[in-house]
Short mmCIF file of all heavy atoms in Angstrom, two decimals:
data_model
loop_
_atom_site.label_atom_id
_atom_site.label_comp_id
_atom_site.label_asym_id
_atom_site.label_seq_id
_atom_site.Cartn_x
_atom_site.Cartn_y
_atom_site.Cartn_z
N GLY A 1 105.74 100.05 92.52
CA GLY A 1 106.04 99.99 93.89
C GLY A 1 105.64 98.67 94.64
O GLY A 1 105.77 98.62 95.88
N ASN A 2 105.14 97.70 93.86
CA ASN A 2 104.85 96.36 94.51
C ASN A 2 106.09 95.68 94.78
O ASN A 2 107.07 95.66 93.99
CB ASN A 2 104.00 95.55 93.54
CG ASN A 2 102.67 96.21 93.21
OD1 ASN A 2 102.05 96.76 94.13
ND2 ASN A 2 102.26 96.17 91.91
N THR A 3 106.14 94.97 95.95
CA THR A 3 107.37 94.36 96.44
C THR A 3 107.21 92.85 96.65
O THR A 3 106.16 92.40 96.95
CB THR A 3 107.84 95.07 97.78
OG1 THR A 3 106.78 94.93 98.73
CG2 THR A 3 108.10 96.48 97.60
N ASN A 4 108.34 92.17 96.54
CA ASN A 4 108.41 90.80 96.80
C ASN A 4 109.76 90.47 97.52
O ASN A 4 110.80 91.11 97.20
CB ASN A 4 108.30 89.91 95.59
CG ASN A 4 106.85 89.84 95.17
OD1 ASN A 4 106.03 89.19 95.74
ND2 ASN A 4 106.61 90.50 94.05
N TYR A 5 109.82 89.50 98.38
CA TYR A 5 110.98 89.10 99.10
C TYR A 5 111.20 87.66 99.17
O TYR A 5 110.26 86.86 99.22
CB TYR A 5 110.92 89.63 100.60
CG TYR A 5 110.74 91.15 100.71
CD1 TYR A 5 109.44 91.68 100.76
CD2 TYR A 5 111.85 91.93 100.79
CE1 TYR A 5 109.32 93.13 100.88
CE2 TYR A 5 111.75 93.33 100.88
CZ TYR A 5 110.42 93.91 100.91
OH TYR A 5 110.28 95.24 101.03
N ALA A 6 112.50 87.30 99.22
CA ALA A 6 112.84 85.83 99.48
C ALA A 6 112.42 85.51 100.96
O ALA A 6 112.45 86.43 101.87
CB ALA A 6 114.37 85.68 99.32
N ASP A 7 112.02 84.28 101.14
CA ASP A 7 111.57 83.92 102.50
C ASP A 7 112.59 84.13 103.55
O ASP A 7 112.32 84.48 104.68
CB ASP A 7 111.18 82.46 102.48
CG ASP A 7 109.89 82.22 101.79
OD1 ASP A 7 109.10 83.18 101.55
OD2 ASP A 7 109.65 81.01 101.42
N SER A 8 113.87 84.02 103.19
CA SER A 8 114.98 84.13 104.15
C SER A 8 115.11 85.59 104.71
O SER A 8 115.81 85.80 105.71
CB SER A 8 116.29 83.68 103.53
OG SER A 8 116.59 84.41 102.33
N VAL A 9 114.60 86.59 103.96
CA VAL A 9 114.76 88.00 104.39
C VAL A 9 113.46 88.68 104.74
O VAL A 9 113.53 89.80 105.20
CB VAL A 9 115.57 88.85 103.33
CG1 VAL A 9 116.84 88.09 102.97
CG2 VAL A 9 114.62 89.07 102.04
N LYS A 10 112.37 87.96 104.63
CA LYS A 10 111.07 88.62 104.93
C LYS A 10 111.00 89.06 106.35
O LYS A 10 111.41 88.31 107.28
CB LYS A 10 109.88 87.58 104.68
CG LYS A 10 109.50 87.50 103.17
CD LYS A 10 108.37 86.57 103.02
CE LYS A 10 107.94 86.37 101.61
NZ LYS A 10 106.88 85.49 101.36
N GLY A 11 110.52 90.32 106.54
CA GLY A 11 110.45 90.87 107.88
C GLY A 11 111.71 91.51 108.35
O GLY A 11 111.74 92.13 109.45
N ARG A 12 112.83 91.37 107.62
CA ARG A 12 114.11 91.89 108.00
C ARG A 12 114.63 92.91 107.03
O ARG A 12 115.27 93.93 107.38
CB ARG A 12 115.21 90.84 108.16
CG ARG A 12 114.81 89.87 109.24
CD ARG A 12 116.00 88.90 109.55
NE ARG A 12 116.44 88.10 108.36
CZ ARG A 12 117.60 88.16 107.76
NH1 ARG A 12 118.56 88.94 108.36
NH2 ARG A 12 117.89 87.45 106.71
N PHE A 13 114.37 92.71 105.73
CA PHE A 13 114.81 93.62 104.67
C PHE A 13 113.66 94.30 104.05
O PHE A 13 112.49 93.84 104.00
CB PHE A 13 115.46 92.76 103.48
CG PHE A 13 116.74 92.19 103.86
CD1 PHE A 13 117.29 92.16 105.17
CD2 PHE A 13 117.59 91.61 102.85
CE1 PHE A 13 118.55 91.57 105.43
CE2 PHE A 13 118.83 91.07 103.16
CZ PHE A 13 119.22 91.03 104.42
N THR A 14 113.92 95.59 103.55
CA THR A 14 112.87 96.39 102.97
C THR A 14 113.46 97.04 101.70
O THR A 14 114.47 97.69 101.75
CB THR A 14 112.40 97.51 103.91
OG1 THR A 14 111.95 96.97 105.10
CG2 THR A 14 111.25 98.33 103.25
N ILE A 15 112.80 96.71 100.54
CA ILE A 15 113.23 97.34 99.29
C ILE A 15 112.32 98.50 99.07
O ILE A 15 111.17 98.54 99.37
CB ILE A 15 113.09 96.25 98.16
CG1 ILE A 15 113.75 96.83 96.91
CG2 ILE A 15 111.67 95.80 97.98
CD1 ILE A 15 113.88 95.79 95.80
N SER A 16 112.97 99.58 98.51
CA SER A 16 112.21 100.80 98.22
C SER A 16 112.85 101.45 96.98
O SER A 16 113.93 101.02 96.51
CB SER A 16 112.17 101.70 99.46
OG SER A 16 113.44 102.12 99.78
N ARG A 17 112.21 102.57 96.53
CA ARG A 17 112.77 103.34 95.48
C ARG A 17 112.40 104.79 95.58
O ARG A 17 111.39 105.13 96.11
CB ARG A 17 112.29 102.77 94.17
CG ARG A 17 110.81 102.88 93.89
CD ARG A 17 110.41 102.07 92.68
NE ARG A 17 111.01 102.59 91.48
CZ ARG A 17 111.23 101.83 90.38
NH1 ARG A 17 110.90 100.58 90.35
NH2 ARG A 17 111.83 102.35 89.31
N ASP A 18 113.36 105.66 95.05
CA ASP A 18 113.00 107.05 95.00
C ASP A 18 113.28 107.51 93.51
O ASP A 18 114.43 107.65 93.10
CB ASP A 18 113.99 107.85 95.90
CG ASP A 18 113.70 109.31 95.97
OD1 ASP A 18 113.06 109.85 95.05
OD2 ASP A 18 114.03 109.99 96.97
N ASN A 19 112.15 107.61 92.85
CA ASN A 19 112.26 107.90 91.39
C ASN A 19 112.87 109.22 91.12
O ASN A 19 113.46 109.46 90.08
CB ASN A 19 110.92 107.73 90.70
CG ASN A 19 110.38 106.28 90.72
OD1 ASN A 19 111.19 105.31 90.75
ND2 ASN A 19 109.11 106.14 90.65
N ALA A 20 112.66 110.20 92.02
CA ALA A 20 113.19 111.53 91.80
C ALA A 20 114.66 111.50 91.90
O ALA A 20 115.35 112.31 91.30
CB ALA A 20 112.60 112.48 92.91
N LYS A 21 115.23 110.55 92.57
CA LYS A 21 116.72 110.41 92.69
C LYS A 21 117.28 109.29 91.82
O LYS A 21 118.46 109.00 91.93
CB LYS A 21 117.07 110.19 94.16
CG LYS A 21 116.77 111.32 95.09
CD LYS A 21 117.23 111.07 96.53
CE LYS A 21 116.90 112.27 97.40
NZ LYS A 21 117.36 112.00 98.78
N ASN A 22 116.46 108.60 91.03
CA ASN A 22 116.89 107.46 90.20
C ASN A 22 117.62 106.41 91.01
O ASN A 22 118.66 105.91 90.63
CB ASN A 22 117.82 108.01 89.06
CG ASN A 22 117.07 108.86 88.10
OD1 ASN A 22 115.86 108.65 87.91
ND2 ASN A 22 117.80 109.66 87.37
N THR A 23 117.11 106.19 92.18
CA THR A 23 117.79 105.34 93.15
C THR A 23 116.87 104.29 93.79
O THR A 23 115.75 104.58 94.21
CB THR A 23 118.49 106.16 94.26
OG1 THR A 23 119.29 107.09 93.72
CG2 THR A 23 119.18 105.32 95.21
N GLY A 24 117.33 103.11 93.83
CA GLY A 24 116.75 102.00 94.63
C GLY A 24 117.49 101.73 95.84
O GLY A 24 118.71 101.94 95.94
N TYR A 25 116.82 101.21 96.86
CA TYR A 25 117.38 100.95 98.17
C TYR A 25 117.10 99.58 98.69
O TYR A 25 116.02 98.99 98.30
CB TYR A 25 116.90 102.02 99.20
CG TYR A 25 117.17 103.41 98.85
CD1 TYR A 25 116.15 104.26 98.32
CD2 TYR A 25 118.34 104.00 99.09
CE1 TYR A 25 116.44 105.52 97.95
CE2 TYR A 25 118.62 105.30 98.80
CZ TYR A 25 117.62 106.06 98.25
OH TYR A 25 117.91 107.39 97.91
N LEU A 26 117.93 99.01 99.49
CA LEU A 26 117.69 97.83 100.24
C LEU A 26 118.13 98.08 101.66
O LEU A 26 119.27 98.15 101.96
CB LEU A 26 118.41 96.64 99.66
CG LEU A 26 118.10 95.28 100.30
CD1 LEU A 26 116.63 94.88 99.97
CD2 LEU A 26 118.98 94.22 99.89
N GLN A 27 117.08 98.26 102.56
CA GLN A 27 117.33 98.45 103.95
C GLN A 27 117.39 97.07 104.57
O GLN A 27 116.48 96.24 104.51
CB GLN A 27 116.21 99.22 104.62
CG GLN A 27 116.33 99.34 106.11
CD GLN A 27 117.51 100.26 106.52
OE1 GLN A 27 117.81 101.22 105.89
NE2 GLN A 27 118.21 99.81 107.59
N MET A 28 118.50 96.74 105.24
CA MET A 28 118.74 95.39 105.81
C MET A 28 118.88 95.54 107.27
O MET A 28 119.82 96.18 107.84
CB MET A 28 119.97 94.79 105.18
CG MET A 28 119.97 94.70 103.77
SD MET A 28 121.34 93.83 102.95
CE MET A 28 122.69 94.90 103.50
N ASP A 29 117.98 95.05 108.07
CA ASP A 29 117.95 95.00 109.51
C ASP A 29 118.12 93.62 110.04
O ASP A 29 117.93 92.65 109.36
CB ASP A 29 116.67 95.68 110.07
CG ASP A 29 116.47 97.07 109.58
OD1 ASP A 29 117.47 97.88 109.58
OD2 ASP A 29 115.39 97.43 109.17
N SER A 30 118.40 93.52 111.33
CA SER A 30 118.58 92.27 112.03
C SER A 30 119.44 91.28 111.21
O SER A 30 119.11 90.09 111.01
CB SER A 30 117.20 91.64 112.23
OG SER A 30 116.37 92.49 113.03
N LEU A 31 120.55 91.82 110.83
CA LEU A 31 121.44 91.00 109.91
C LEU A 31 122.06 89.85 110.62
O LEU A 31 122.33 89.85 111.85
CB LEU A 31 122.58 91.92 109.36
CG LEU A 31 122.15 92.86 108.17
CD1 LEU A 31 123.10 94.01 108.05
CD2 LEU A 31 121.99 92.13 106.94
#
């Protein structure tokens, strides 16, 4: 669950995962 981001998206994008659903996510705000 450790995360890293490109400088260009820090503070706007959030990466996460739900292992129970075998799914990764990328929440993108302030596009």
Side-chain angles (χ1 to χ4, degrees):
N2 297 317
T3 60
N4 283 289
Y5 299 92
D7 288 343
S8 59
V9 306
K10 279 182 182 177
R12 300 188 299 120
F13 289 13
T14 303
I15 190 171
S16 63
R17 62 191 299 155
D18 185 337
N19 291 334
K21 296 183 178 180
N22 292 336
T23 302
Y25 301 99
L26 185 67
Q27 176 68 41
M28 305 186 295
D29 299 316
S30 302
L31 282 161

